[in-house]
Amino acid sequence: MKLFLIALYSLFLVAMASGITIAYRQAEGLVEPNYYEKASAYFSTKSAESSSGLSVILPDSLQKGSNDILVSISTHGKPLRNAVVTFFVGNLSKKTYDRTVPMKETEPGNYRTTAVIPFEGVWLARVDIQKQQLQTSKKWFIELN
């Protein structure tokens, strides 16, 4: 019985040491590098959005196939003109279908482009807006069945 307990205890120690070693070697990095700089940039972007009175109206829905994307952007109730606006759409499971397309200003504050969503699944959509000191993004998920 004593020999059995010694063997069991030894097996337990080996298993614990192996688990700790594997966890140490394959750490996924739970701590974000440059966290403070990234958080500071996020809060300064949100502050710039708030002070400029930014309002972005995104498309209600997207569908499989070709989509006409219209985004309305205004600051303090006035259309945001001459901004650099891009639209990104990417599948969460396959990066080969990620696409970024520029948006053209069709009317003051209205930006339009065409994007293709080739198949069903969960997609990430993002509108990037750049004008002088204002650089921001609006993201949302699309689930197509």
Side-chain angles (χ1 to χ4, degrees):
M1 181 71 174
K2 189 174 184 180
L3 186 60
F4 174 73
L5 290 176
I6 291 172
L8 187 62
Y9 184 70
S10 299
L11 181 63
F12 176 75
L13 286 178
V14 169
M16 287 296 293
S18 298
I20 291 171
T21 303
I22 290 170
Y24 179 74
R25 288 187 180 174
Q26 297 181 357
E28 295 179 9
L30 297 177
V31 176
E32 180 72 30
N34 299 326
Y35 171 77
Y36 181 76
E37 289 82 6
K38 290 179 182 178
S40 177
Y42 172 80
F43 288 119
S44 65
T45 299
K46 292 301 172 191
S47 174
E49 284 181 25
S50 177
S51 66
S52 68
L54 183 70
S55 172
V56 180
I57 300 173
L58 302 169
D60 290 334
S61 65
L62 299 175
Q63 57 194 357
K64 180 181 165 186
S66 183
N67 291 277
D68 188 37
I69 312 293
L70 176 65
V71 176
S72 298
I73 307 170
S74 61
T75 56
H76 297 296
K78 297 178 183 175
L80 181 67
R81 302 194 65 184
N82 303 320
V84 177
V85 181
T86 57
F87 178 75
F88 168 84
V89 65
N91 187 269
L92 292 184
S93 61
K94 299 177 185 173
K95 290 188 176 197
T96 56
Y97 295 101
D98 292 1
R99 298 287 180 263
T100 301
V101 291
M103 300 187 82
K104 293 183 181 179
E105 187 172 12
T106 56
E107 296 176 3
N110 290 335
Y111 296 84
R112 185 179 298 270
T113 193
T114 302
V116 176
I117 300 177
F119 56 89
E120 298 174 346
V122 180
W123 293 80
L124 170 69
R126 183 182 72 226
V127 174
D128 297 319
I129 305 163
Q130 295 180 353
K131 179 155 185 187
Q132 297 167 348
Q133 291 88 10
L134 180 64
Q135 293 184 356
T136 189
S137 296
K138 297 295 180 186
K139 303 175 191 176
W140 71 100
F141 289 98
I142 306 160
E143 186 170 348
L144 301 176
N145 296 324

